[in-house]
């Protein structure tokens, strides 16, 4: 039962914890996690490592910190990191990769979010006194700015092969890696086997209030624990964050399918409308990204009209809009959204 009339499709980060999560927080066994003594954190970290088929995992407060900790634990200052040009690390993490990690980000453009191995090969320059040492490639799965697109395991394998040939490590920003796994109908391990490290978020489609996990080898996680401390992310009774995370891994992964079906439903409805440019091939998980015809409307007007009708969305760039489905959104909500979009687009407000 919905508590509010607002249909909030801005992001899956707006999800609220389930009753079971709140109960789990209340009853969590706690200890001091900086001493490694919080049993609930330890349990979640073991579960995460096992689920991703890696040796160890580390709980951190946010996805942004998870990426920064991972990047810093894979590199030394002054080195070069290849990443996709629309990646979250490059766009939305306040430049921490440069200002804090001291690295040179080297963006590579792609069609739908997956770096082409040939483009990576072409970007790697010979080791030479003029060039910063390249040491890491970051990939993103699913890809946020490309509308929740999936980088397939075979694509990760090809990138990883090129990376290995050049002595580079691969880190995956897997904030929504379970969406990728559910979207393709394969085990999440298929996505993790060809990367050295990854992070995933509990606080997006999995509905937790806080938390992300960094995952990799034991040695990498030991280093990451120290980097997390440097960044102020060492937490004490962090079992209150881990407890809902355990519920999320046990109960909230399979239901992501419902979010994907709702996104698909909405996309198919609005793709037909005049003034909306939407490529249905790119609607692969819980996001619906599309462009507005500038001759018809602008993102400001569109978002305002939607809001007046009880629907919230975000503009990702000029005239590029994104809807994200999640645990708080049911089929009725996407049906209503589709009809609101249809009525807004039928107006001639810019003519
Ligand atoms: C792909 C991706 N990576 C990282 C993050 C950062 O997560 P947080 O908002 O928890 O810092 C996000 C957040 O939306 C994301 O979409």
């Amino acid at each position: 039962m919905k508590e509010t009339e607002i249909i909030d499709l801005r992001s899956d980060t707006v999800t609220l914890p389930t009753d079971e999560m709140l109960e789990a927080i209340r009853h969590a066994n706690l200890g001091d996690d900086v001493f490694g003594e919080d049993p609930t954190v330890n349990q979640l970290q073991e579960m995460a490592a096992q689920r991703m088929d890696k040796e160890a995992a580390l709980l951190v407060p946010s996805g942004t910190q998870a990426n920064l900790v991972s990047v810093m634990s894979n590199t030394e200052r002054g080195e070069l990191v290849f990443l996709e040009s629309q990646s979250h690390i490059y766009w939305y993490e306040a430049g921490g990769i440069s200002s804090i990690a001291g690295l040179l980000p080297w963006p590579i453009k792609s069609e739908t979010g997956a770096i082409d191995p040939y483009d990576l090969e072409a970007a790697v320059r010979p080791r030479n006194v003029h060039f910063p040492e390249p040491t890491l490639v970051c990939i993103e799965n699913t890809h946020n700015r490309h509308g929740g697109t999936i980088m397939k395991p075979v694509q990760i394998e090809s990138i990883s092969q090129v990376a290995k040939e050049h002595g580079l490590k691969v880190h995956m920003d897997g904030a929504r890696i379970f969406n990728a796994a559910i979207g393709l109908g394969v085990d999440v391990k298929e996505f993790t086997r060809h990367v050295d490290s990854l992070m995933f978020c509990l606080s997006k489609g999995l509905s937790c209030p806080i938390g992300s996990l960094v995952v990799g080898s034991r040695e990498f996680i030991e280093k990451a624990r120290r980097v997390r401390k440097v960044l102020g992310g060492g937490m004490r009774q962090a079992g209150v964050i881990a407890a809902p995370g355990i519920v999320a891994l046990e109960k909230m992964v399979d239901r992501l399918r419902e979010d994907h079906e709702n996104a698909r439903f909405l996309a198919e409805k609005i793709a037909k409308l005049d003034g909306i440019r939407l490529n249905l091939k790119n609607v692969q998980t819980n996001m619906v990204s599309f462009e507005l015809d500038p001759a018809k409307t602008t993102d400001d007007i569109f978002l305002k009209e939607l809001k007046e009708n009880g629907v919230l969305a975000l503009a990702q760039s000029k005239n590029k809009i994104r809807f994200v489905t999640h645990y708080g959104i049911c089929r009725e909500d996407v049906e209503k959204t589709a009809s609101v979009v249809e009525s807004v687009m039928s107006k001639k407000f810019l003519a």
Side-chain angles (χ1 to χ4, degrees):
M1 200 55 177
K2 292 188 72 63
E3 283 174 13
T4 153
E5 291 298 304
I6 300 290
I7 300 171
D8 193 344
L9 296 165
R10 288 172 301 166
S11 175
D12 45 10
T13 55
V14 301
T15 43
L16 298 175
T18 63
D19 287 344
E20 198 176 345
M21 288 178 180
L22 295 172
E23 273 307 295
I25 294 171
R26 195 171 157 70
H27 298 291
N29 282 329
L30 303 175
D32 190 327
D33 181 50
V34 173
F35 295 150
E37 290 173 4
D38 188 302
T40 313
V41 171
N42 292 340
Q43 186 188 342
L44 173 65
Q45 289 175 167
E46 275 160 35
M47 271 176 88
Q50 208 173 33
R51 195 81 175 245
M52 301 298 169
D53 205 15
K54 299 280 178 205
E55 286 174 0
L58 184 75
L59 178 66
V60 298
S62 69
T64 300
Q65 190 179 102
N67 277 330
L68 188 57
V69 163
S70 303
V71 165
M72 289 174 76
S73 305
N74 273 314
T75 57
E76 298 295 333
R77 293 181 73 76
E79 292 176 348
L80 182 146
V81 176
F82 296 105
L83 33 65
E84 202 277 333
S85 64
Q86 301 271 326
S87 64
H88 198 277
I89 297 178
Y90 193 56
W91 270 73
Y92 296 120
E93 299 187 5
I97 187 169
S98 302
S99 63
I100 301 177
L103 298 160
L104 180 70
W106 196 270
I108 298 177
K109 280 192 184 159
S110 77
E111 285 280 309
T112 57
I115 298 174
D116 188 312
Y118 293 103
D119 293 336
L120 176 61
E121 181 74 59
V124 182
R125 293 170 297 179
R127 308 245 160 184
N128 179 301
V129 72
H130 294 90
F131 307 139
E133 277 289 291
T135 41
L136 183 66
V137 184
C138 293
I139 58 176
E140 185 171 312
N141 209 3
T142 61
H143 200 294
N144 185 337
R145 279 189 63 79
H146 279 280
T149 45
I150 300 171
M151 187 168 183
K152 297 193 181 103
V154 61
Q155 294 174 299
I156 303 176
E157 184 176 6
S158 313
I159 278 291
S160 156
Q161 263 168 13
V162 176
K164 268 206 196 94
E165 280 160 24
H166 294 281
L168 313 171
K169 293 218 168 102
V170 179
H171 168 69
M172 178 163 67
D173 173 346
R176 296 182 181 81
I177 196 60
F178 285 112
N179 291 91
I182 294 289
L184 270 197
V186 299
D187 193 285
V188 73
K189 294 183 182 77
E190 297 297 320
F191 296 90
T192 62
R193 73 173 57 182
H194 298 292
V195 301
D196 297 283
S197 64
L198 72 136
M199 74 79 155
F200 71 92
C201 294
L202 298 169
S203 57
K204 302 203 160 54
L206 300 186
S207 259
C208 288
I210 312 169
S212 291
L213 283 132
V214 175
V215 194
S217 71
R218 215 172 295 289
E219 194 188 341
F220 167 79
I221 292 297
E222 255 170 52
K223 190 168 176 198
R225 189 179 296 282
R226 194 178 166 77
V227 175
R228 181 187 68 172
K229 188 77 181 122
V230 171
L231 297 176
M235 300 177 285
R236 302 296 176 176
Q237 286 70 37
V240 294
I241 297 175
I246 292 169
V247 176
L249 288 183
E250 284 172 346
K251 305 270 174 74
M252 302 299 283
V253 173
D254 290 343
R255 66 149 306 285
L256 293 172
R257 190 169 292 114
E258 208 180 299
D259 301 340
H260 297 186
E261 285 164 4
N262 283 336
R264 186 85 212 163
F265 175 89
L266 177 57
E268 283 175 0
K269 290 270 176 200
I270 66 173
K272 300 174 192 144
L273 302 175
D274 193 27
I276 284 187
R277 296 188 198 126
L278 192 160
N279 185 348
L280 283 170
K281 269 200 209 139
N282 294 341
V283 182
Q284 299 172 5
T285 56
N286 65 333
M287 294 187 187
V288 181
S289 247
F290 55 95
E291 282 182 22
L292 297 166
D293 180 350
K296 178 99 187 154
T297 185
T298 68
D299 50 274
D300 285 347
I301 295 171
F302 181 79
L303 292 176
K304 187 166 153 282
E305 294 269 339
L306 251 59
K307 193 171 177 183
E308 280 166 9
N309 287 282
V311 177
L312 302 181
L314 279 185
Q316 284 186 298
S317 296
K318 197 161 173 51
N319 275 20
K320 191 177 164 203
I321 304 292
R322 185 190 78 171
F323 290 133
V324 185
T325 54
H326 51 78
Y327 182 57
I329 298 296
C330 60
R331 180 53 63 101
E332 209 185 320
D333 294 328
V334 281
E335 278 167 2
K336 179 170 173 209
T337 302
S339 61
V340 167
V341 174
E342 187 171 358
S343 85
V344 167
M345 292 309 287
S346 68
K347 294 188 190 175
K348 286 204 162 77
F349 33 82
L350 266 194

